[in-house]
């Protein structure tokens, strides 16, 4: 299958879109340059989060949770300890505040030396500590500030002085990029208002936004009457509801700290705020799911395993650790009829596409029985895993489960993304085909990770597939909160024009016949990748 030795494949990292830390409500900056040149110019390529929080002796929350979450998501995490607590799974037995002058020295030491990208705050037990932090951030600006206003532990123990409320609202919030209170903290920040419904959470987010942060995320995990874990996100104009499964487990200690530090890690890596929140929520849900039966301690609330990926089969060495929207760049969709026409097996076709530079692979096999399809899918999974390329299965959730694929892609006539998530569990990639803004909105609400939009051009690979053109693609991209991959009739002659549209969430093109209805799949893939890369670099 391989017609020529493939050139080295550049694994591109997205440029940072986080604005400089200079004033409240700062506009985002989006440098238009080649991603690899931007990465090479960084002083410190390792994304860096500084957590300013308390130490938890049980290692479930606080500094310990922040360090573990950032490490699991690929970011470096330094720390400034504000308090030392004695706590376990039963509650908090003691709190000792670190002297304010030593906190100032810790901040000075890290911020003056270590190229911090994002600061994340947790337990800030006194007004003086908040004041020192604000002064330090004015002296040493960073790209983003994530504020988790930790004031009360889950067991009900107070972790901050009442005077901190004023300093949070009048000082730190105005400097924050995002504030992440749970419903209890939001109530306390707003003078004790009752929060029982999603409407209450929206009102709270709107009120907290008026204190000055660019974004607010009110976490609803503590809402007792909800069957889902619903968080409300507000950007000053629009509300977005992040919905997740409520995992039945006692191991929930540190979920708030972990969510905030995960958001910080994603921002440090260059994600947009909306995507950072989605990734963080998925990570926490996955960690809870994989840790639900662990037993540590005798109290009512145990910790969960931040490093679950090291032990789970989908995350063995060489596999895709989580969905990265940039993997949609060159999306290869197989076709059994084309493979037969050229004498290619499914495995050979997938291997050749990856050799040529495909960044994600979908098996769409309509003319094959379940048993041989499963055997081929297992073989393709090994090929993709060894190359770090995600493998998705079209429609067939049963095949995806049996071969432990990275995810599933479904159409409008198939089961919903929400139903697929219930079958696959957290941590898997779910894509949905859509043609209209309404379908894009529904896919977002159902918990999809990306959209496939088309056909952009006329195609013969799918019967009765209306052509949307650039206008239809633009309408979906502008309406979608999810990354989008364009599909339908795309080939080497028109792929560049698709990428030149340069919509912020249009991440790549999906191709069938232009790759697989050819004698040499690897060379066709290599040629198409070169075209796409040249357009991206010039944009």
């Amino acid at each position: 299958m391989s017609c020529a030795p493939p050139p080295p494949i550049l694994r591109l990292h997205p440029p940072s879109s986080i604005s400089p830390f200079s004033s409240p409500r700062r506009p985002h900056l989006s440098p238009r340059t080649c991603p690899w040149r931007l990465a090479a110019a960084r002083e410190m390529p390792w994304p860096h989060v500084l957590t300013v929080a308390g130490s938890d002796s049980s290692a479930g929350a606080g500094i310990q949770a922040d360090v573990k979450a950032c490490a699991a998501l690929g970011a470096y995490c330094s720390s400034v300890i504000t308090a030392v607590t004695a706590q376990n799974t039963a509650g908090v037995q003691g709190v000792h505040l670190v002297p304010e002058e030593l906190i100032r020295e810790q901040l000075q030491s890290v911020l003056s030396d270590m190229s911090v990208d994002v600061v994340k705050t947790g337990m800030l037990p006194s007004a003086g500590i908040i004041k020192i932090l604000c002064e330090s951030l004015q002296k040493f600006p960073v790209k983003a500030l994530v504020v988790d206003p930790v004031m009360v532990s889950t067991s009900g123990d107070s972790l901050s002085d009442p005077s901190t409320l004023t300093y949070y609202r009048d000082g730190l919030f105005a400097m924050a990029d995002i504030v992440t209170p749970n419903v209890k903290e939001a109530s306390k920040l707003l003078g004790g208002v009752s929060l029982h419904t999603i409407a209450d959470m929206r009102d709270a987010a709107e009120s907290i936004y008026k204190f000055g942060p660019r974004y607010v995320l009110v976490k609803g995990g503590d809402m007792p009457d909800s069957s889902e874990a619903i968080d409300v996100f507000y950007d000053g104009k629009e509300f977005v509801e992040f919905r997740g499964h409520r995992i039945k487990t006692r191991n929930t200690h540190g979920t708030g700290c972990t969510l905030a530090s995960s958001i910080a890690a994603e921002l440090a890596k260059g994600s947009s705020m909306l995507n950072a929140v989605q990734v963080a929520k998925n990570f926490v849900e996955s960690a809870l799911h994989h840790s639900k039966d662990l037993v540590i301690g005798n109290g009512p609330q145990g910790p969960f395993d931040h490093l679950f990926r090291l032990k789970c089969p989908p995350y063995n060495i060489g596999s895709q650790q989580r969905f990265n929207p940039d993997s949609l760049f060159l999306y290869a969709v197989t076709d059994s009829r084309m493979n037969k026409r050229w004498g290619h097996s499914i495995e050979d076709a997938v291997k050749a596409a990856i050799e040529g530079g495909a960044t994600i692979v979908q098996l769409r096999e309509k003319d094959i029985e379940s048993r041989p399809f499963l055997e081929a899918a297992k073989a393709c999974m090994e090929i993709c895993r060894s190359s770090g390329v995600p493998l998705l299965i079209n429609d067939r959730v049963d095949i995806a489960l049996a071969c432990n694929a990275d995810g599933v892609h479904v159409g409008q006539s198939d089961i919903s993304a929400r139903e697929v998530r219930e079958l696959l569990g957290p941590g898997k990639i779910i894509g949905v085909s859509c043609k209209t803004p309404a379908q894009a909105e529904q896919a977002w609400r159902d918990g999809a990770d990306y959209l496939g939009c088309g056909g952009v051009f006329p195609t013969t690979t799918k019967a009765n597939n209306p052509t949307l053109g650039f206008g239809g693609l633009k309408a979906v991209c502008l309406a979608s909160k999810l990354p989008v991959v364009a599909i339908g009739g795309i080939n080497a002659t028109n792929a560049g024009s698709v990428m030149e549209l340069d919509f912020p969430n249009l991440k790549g093109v999906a191709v069938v016949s232009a790759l697989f209805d050819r004698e040499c799949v690897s060379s066709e893939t290599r040629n198409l990748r070169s075209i796409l890369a040249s357009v991206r670099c010039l944009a």
Side-chain angles (χ1 to χ4, degrees), residues 259-272:
L259 183 73
S261 54
S262 298
I263 292 171
E266 292 304 306
L267 293 176
K269 289 154 61 178
S271 290
S272 67

Side-chain angles (χ1 to χ4, degrees), residues 119-134:
V119 168
K120 177 263 175 186
T121 73
M123 180 182 174
L124 303 176
S126 73
I129 292 174
I130 297 177
K131 183 179 179 182
I132 288 170
L133 176 60
C134 291

Side-chain angles (χ1 to χ4, degrees), residues 55-75:
S55 170
D56 173 6
S57 56
S58 71
I63 289 285
Q64 289 84 346
D66 297 340
V67 171
K68 288 186 286 187
C70 288
L73 291 169

